[in-house]
Amino acid sequence: MSRSFPWIGMLAQCWLLLASLVAWADLPTPPDFTPYRAEIAGWESDISKLEAIREPTPHRDSILVVGSSSIRLWESVDADLAPYRVIRRGYGGAKYSDLAYYLPRLIEPHAYRAAVVFVGNDITGGAGDKSPAELGEWFGYVADRLHHHEPEAQVLCVDVRPTPLRFQAWSDIAAGNAALKHACEKRDRTHYVDTSNHFLTEDGQSVKLSLYREDNLHLSAEGYAVWSEQIVRALDRVLSASEP
């Protein structure tokens, strides 16, 4: 006569619940989303579309490339970052505050060996700009959240490069870059990628116009070639150093 042991199933459920609670408790604590709720809500449709894109087979060697419109418009990314396998998740005028909010939905289905992050709209010379300290705090949370999902992954923070449209705010943007670099230096497996000098003229007093489209904000094909070269070099350096 067979005998059932219902307590075994109950014990398994308890272990699953405990594991879930431990994982939840280990999540990094985000900064306060409250001041940005209206901006965050405006991206729901874009995030839902990205969320619906699934890799046929998640691959742990992939490189997650996530951020604002420079990522969204990077149609040549697969060729530019070859031989790396790329997952591209970019949307419009992303800021770190809304990326931080939506990040779990953008990364949850995916596996990645490294994550490349570029967000260029938090400091633009406008009244609603974040301070450098706030920018560093928001990026820090994004990096921590990326590591929570893939603890051994390398996170690369690409600096906010100078653009012709926003060059009047370059000193403020550079201060924000310094805060991003400091946030990287405080974390393991987190790296700052400095590309700005490649977009400035030799005297540093203006921007190389040929690297930008007519809108003076987004990269031209030549600009993407310059940008991707620096990102590939950073990936090569970081990933080769992390190999056993």
Side-chain angles (χ1 to χ4, degrees):
M1 181 176 66
S2 62
R3 292 167 33 175
S4 62
F5 299 92
W7 58 270
I8 295 179
M10 294 175 60
L11 182 60
Q13 291 179 4
C14 288
W15 275 112
L16 287 172
L17 178 59
L18 180 60
S20 298
L21 289 173
V22 169
W24 179 261
D26 195 39
L27 282 172
T29 302
D32 184 11
F33 288 112
T34 305
Y36 307 103
R37 288 291 182 187
E39 289 183 359
I40 288 170
W43 294 115
E44 175 62 36
S45 176
D46 295 72
I47 300 303
S48 294
K49 292 175 183 177
L50 290 172
E51 192 178 19
I53 303 171
R54 293 288 190 270
E55 289 183 284
T57 304
H59 199 290
R60 199 159 294 280
D61 280 342
S62 296
I63 307 299
L64 175 68
V65 182
V66 63
S68 53
S69 55
S70 289
I71 306 301
R72 180 179 63 85
L73 297 170
W74 198 355
E75 296 181 355
S76 60
V77 64
D78 292 315
D80 290 346
L81 297 189
Y84 294 108
R85 179 194 305 259
V86 176
I87 305 167
R88 177 167 57 112
R89 296 293 180 267
Y91 62 98
K95 296 180 180 179
Y96 271 111
S97 41
D98 44 72
L99 178 61
Y101 182 85
Y102 288 114
L103 191 62
R105 292 169 57 182
L106 293 175
I107 66 176
E108 189 59 38
H110 308 298
Y112 46 87
R113 184 184 181 192
V116 176
V117 185
F118 172 81
V119 176
N121 301 297
D122 290 278
I123 300 177
T124 64
D129 283 357
K130 292 182 178 67
S131 69
E134 290 172 325
L135 183 60
E137 183 182 14
W138 280 106
F139 166 74
Y141 171 75
V142 167
D144 293 345
R145 194 66 179 79
L146 287 165
H147 278 135
H148 184 271
H149 185 67
E150 288 285 3
E152 298 305 315
Q154 304 294 326
V155 174
L156 284 70
C157 174
V158 181
D159 66 336
V160 183
R161 60 182 180 270
T163 66
L165 184 65
R166 297 172 177 171
F167 196 65
Q168 79 286 351
W170 175 234
S171 60
D172 294 331
I173 293 170
N177 281 337
L180 292 174
K181 183 178 181 181
H182 180 64
C184 290
E185 292 170 344
K186 291 165 57 178
R187 290 168 169 80
D188 294 335
R189 300 180 303 284
T190 310
H191 314 271
Y192 179 74
V193 183
D194 189 347
T195 70
S196 291
N197 286 340
H198 297 275
F199 293 88
L200 292 168
T201 55
E202 288 187 8
D203 61 7
Q205 300 303 306
S206 59
V207 181
K208 296 176 182 177
L209 296 179
S210 65
L211 302 184
Y212 287 89
R213 302 183 186 189
E214 291 182 358
D215 64 6
N216 286 327
L217 179 62
H218 296 104
L219 292 172
S220 64
E222 183 182 351
Y224 273 117
V226 171
W227 204 45
S228 60
E229 181 180 4
Q230 302 310 310
I231 293 172
V232 168
R233 284 182 179 178
L235 282 169
D236 288 346
R237 181 179 67 253
V238 166
L239 293 178
S240 64
S242 66
E243 290 177 351

